Amino acid sequence: MLWLAFGPFHAMENQVLVIRIKIPNRGAVDWTVNSGPQLLFRDVLDVIGQVLPEATTTAFEYEDEDGDRITVRSDEEMKAMLSYYYSTVMEQQVNGQLIEPLQIFPRACKPPGERNIHGLKVNTRAGPSQHNSPAVSDALPSNSLKKSSAELKKILANGQMNEQDIRYRDTLGHGNGGTVYKAYHVPSGKILAVKVILLDITLELQKQIMSELEILYKCDSSYIIGFYGAFFVENRISICTEFMDGGSLDVYRKIPEHVLGRIAIAVVKGLTYLWSLKILHRDVKPSNMLVNTRGQVKLCDFGVSTQLVNSIAKTYVGTNAYMAPERISGEQYGIHSDVWSLGISFMEPLQLLQCIVDEDSPVLPVGEFSEPFVHFITQCMRKQPKERPAPEELMGHPFIVQFNDGNATVVSMWVCRALEERRSQQGPP
Ligand code: ATP
Ligand code: MG
């Protein structure tokens, strides 16, 4: 009887309904229901009870378009949820998009522990049993969705990340290639930074980029931004990384030398790590050096995917103030070019201007900065690439050595103070 109440949605009565039951920290179980609109609240609780037998579940939640959680405790609320869900399905159909399962989040239940729930069979009254078998999914579309689309999505959805699980919040900044958002990853509860880049490229190139990005999973250094995954949706790629609450160095003014020293050592260690993996950064600059209130300093936006770099370069052609002279004049790019950018990143904008005007490399004013610091920057910015320090020379430089004490508190206190100052200048939100 219940489906009659759906009015405009009654066309959906024969539609297969896939309910994705999200399990805290454990992915999801997909449950295919043949007669969705006739489904009762207690049917759903029954299935949840079989998926999470250790927990007593009395309610569950779903998310509206703003990512707000809405609780379902009765048939009436189920009706509202299904009605909302079918309206999103209609929208997806109209837009020719993949039909996404209905995601629900069991409430008041304990984590399921280490039990293996693979292959679990559940029978309910809502339809023939073979259609009611939840199957563990890692947030990929269930078999009931079109296979070709599912396969395509699997190729394009690298790792655990996908669009449906992400709630975009603030914009962190715009670059030449795209926009970076602070976002919430619903299944893990993690805050992420998601860089979204518009790319009008073929499916072949998309696949190539995804495979080139694979190496990011292997990057494991506390000086390199954590990578959570990437995926394509239509003509845009989203790259999900660790969120750094101090933002990038470009927004900080007048960094005292004892702080800068600790930042420089982290940057040198991050670069040395990348070089050891035969990765050139290619975009060393303050906006790609991130800090957090724990005092960590991490590099981001390094060029692991040649195809991604090329595809972005098609829409943006240009140079920036941090590029080494040999790069600007189109000569070979190597580790030395990253070293130049490292040196120039730690100079003040005023000295950068001098760099553009002068024939000679800019130098830091002696007297204002320590002798080792001036020497370090001067060496990094030798016009001849081969004269610049090699990775091991960078690590052994007196300026770097003196700050290699693993003291994160210095950077942490400085980031916290700077954020506090910024907040007090901005006033209450
Ligand atoms: P370009 O496009 O030339 O590389 P950019 O580095 O300034 O310039 P984006 O990489 O798009 O541009 O980044 C925009 C801004 O987003 C950065 O300046 C930085 O402040 C912020 N940002 C980027 N990644 C993160 C992150 N993981 N955590 C916090 N903030 C970030
Ligand atoms: Mg950047």
Side-chain angles (χ1 to χ4, degrees):
M1 284 304 285
L2 198 65
W3 62 268
L4 286 172
F6 282 92
F9 306 109
H10 110 276
M12 299 279 177
E13 77 193 83
N14 295 322
Q15 183 96 29
V16 169
L17 168 69
V18 179
I19 298 185
R20 177 164 292 167
I21 305 167
K22 298 293 248 183
I23 308 164
N25 309 320
R26 288 286 301 273
V29 170
D30 277 356
W31 169 34
T32 307
V33 188
N34 263 351
S35 43
Q38 294 175 43
L39 195 64
L40 297 176
F41 173 62
R42 70 165 184 279
D43 296 332
V44 182
L45 281 197
D46 276 348
V47 173
I48 294 176
Q50 292 176 63
V51 172
L52 298 167
E54 307 90 314
T56 317
T57 307
T58 50
F60 58 88
E61 293 172 334
Y62 68 100
E63 279 180 350
D64 68 9
E65 67 265 54
D66 295 320
D68 292 326
R69 293 271 177 103
I70 296 160
T71 306
V72 177
R73 290 184 217 83
S74 63
D75 281 337
E76 213 42 41
E77 286 169 343
M78 269 275 298
K79 210 162 79 179
M81 173 184 77
L82 289 173
S83 158
Y84 163 74
Y85 173 67
Y86 284 130
S87 69
T88 63
V89 168
M90 273 187 183
E91 214 176 293
Q92 286 163 0
Q93 275 175 337
V94 168
N95 296 331
Q97 293 165 331
L98 271 182
I99 307 298
E100 295 299 340
L102 167 59
Q103 294 204 31
I104 61 168
F105 306 81
R107 235 178 72 167
C109 57
K110 291 189 231 105
E114 286 315 301
R115 226 172 52 85
N116 180 11
I117 51 173
H118 286 261
L120 187 77
K121 293 269 185 282
V122 185
N123 297 320
T124 70
R125 327 185 284 104
S129 64
Q130 70 269 28
H131 294 298
N132 286 328
S133 310
V136 172
S137 99
D138 282 318
L140 282 170
S142 76
N143 296 337
S144 59
L145 297 172
K146 267 195 209 139
K147 199 165 181 236
S148 60
S149 315
E151 276 169 359
L152 183 66
K153 211 165 171 196
K154 195 171 175 184
I155 296 164
L156 297 180
N158 204 340
Q160 297 294 307
M161 294 291 157
N162 61 38
E163 183 95 319
Q164 304 85 263
D165 287 340
I166 292 172
R167 301 288 171 271
Y168 293 91
R169 303 279 190 239
D170 315 320
T171 302
L172 294 170
H174 303 278
N176 288 306
T179 303
V180 181
Y181 300 92
K182 183 176 175 180
Y184 176 67
H185 182 240
V186 180
S188 64
K190 261 191 206 311
I191 296 288
L192 317 173
V194 183
K195 184 166 197 165
V196 181
I197 307 167
L198 286 175
L199 291 173
D200 284 310
I201 53 171
T202 62
L203 189 60
E204 271 316 299
L205 292 182
Q206 291 189 359
K207 284 191 212 162
Q208 191 185 332
I209 291 174
M210 294 310 284
S211 82
E212 285 175 342
L213 290 178
E214 290 271 311
I215 194 169
L216 291 176
Y217 288 110
K218 296 189 196 107
C219 280
D220 181 21
S221 157
S222 35
Y223 308 104
I224 300 294
I225 198 79
F227 174 69
Y228 298 134
F231 54 85
F232 270 97
V233 174
E234 292 161 6
N235 63 342
R236 51 184 202 276
I237 184 171
S238 300
I239 302 170
C240 307
T241 60
E242 178 183 3
F243 169 68
M244 296 288 277
D245 61 358
S248 49
L249 280 194
D250 55 325
V251 295
Y252 293 86
R253 287 277 164 260
K254 287 238 171 285
I255 308 175
E257 202 182 306
H258 72 288
V259 176
L260 201 65
R262 264 90 186 192
I263 293 173
I265 172 109
V267 172
V268 168
K269 285 183 178 175
L271 284 175
T272 311
Y273 177 78
L274 290 178
W275 295 332
S276 75
L277 296 177
K278 306 243 177 313
I279 298 170
L280 291 176
H281 190 296
R282 294 175 187 275
D283 203 10
V284 177
K285 57 182 178 183
S287 70
N288 290 336
M289 299 171 186
L290 303 165
V291 288
N292 67 18
T293 47
R294 291 165 64 195
Q296 294 175 306
V297 182
K298 304 192 182 201
L299 293 175
C300 68
D301 286 347
F302 37 96
V304 285
S305 164
T306 318
Q307 196 48 63
L308 183 59
V309 172
N310 288 347
S311 304
I312 296 172
K314 283 205 182 96
T315 51
Y316 165 73
V317 186
T319 53
N320 70 48
Y322 303 91
M323 283 182 180
E326 67 276 11
R327 187 176 189 187
I328 294 171
S329 50
E331 285 155 45
Q332 211 186 357
Y333 191 95
I335 286 183
H336 302 301
S337 321
D338 275 351
V339 174
W340 170 283
S341 308
L342 162 74
I344 201 163
S345 292
F346 292 119
M347 300 194 82
E348 288 286 316
L350 209 67
Q351 289 130 15
L352 285 179
L353 278 180
Q354 181 203 336
C355 168
I356 296 160
V357 184
D358 285 1
E359 291 264 311
D360 296 329
S361 295
V363 281
L364 286 172
V366 196
E368 221 178 288
F369 301 97
S370 73
E371 195 273 323
F373 184 35
V374 176
H375 186 263
F376 176 77
I377 298 289
T378 313
Q379 291 305 105
C380 287
M381 295 179 63
R382 300 289 292 260
K383 284 259 156 122
Q384 283 305 317
K386 292 213 169 78
E387 290 175 10
R388 295 173 207 151
E392 59 279 10
E393 287 168 316
L394 284 174
M395 283 304 293
H397 192 281
F399 173 67
I400 291 298
V401 170
Q402 72 173 311
F403 292 116
N404 194 6
D405 56 6
N407 188 344
T409 319
V410 175
V411 178
S412 163
M413 281 170 57
W414 167 77
V415 172
C416 290
R417 205 175 308 131
L419 291 181
E420 198 48 55
E421 266 169 35
R422 224 181 285 166
R423 243 172 262 141
S424 64
Q425 276 163 14
Q426 282 165 354

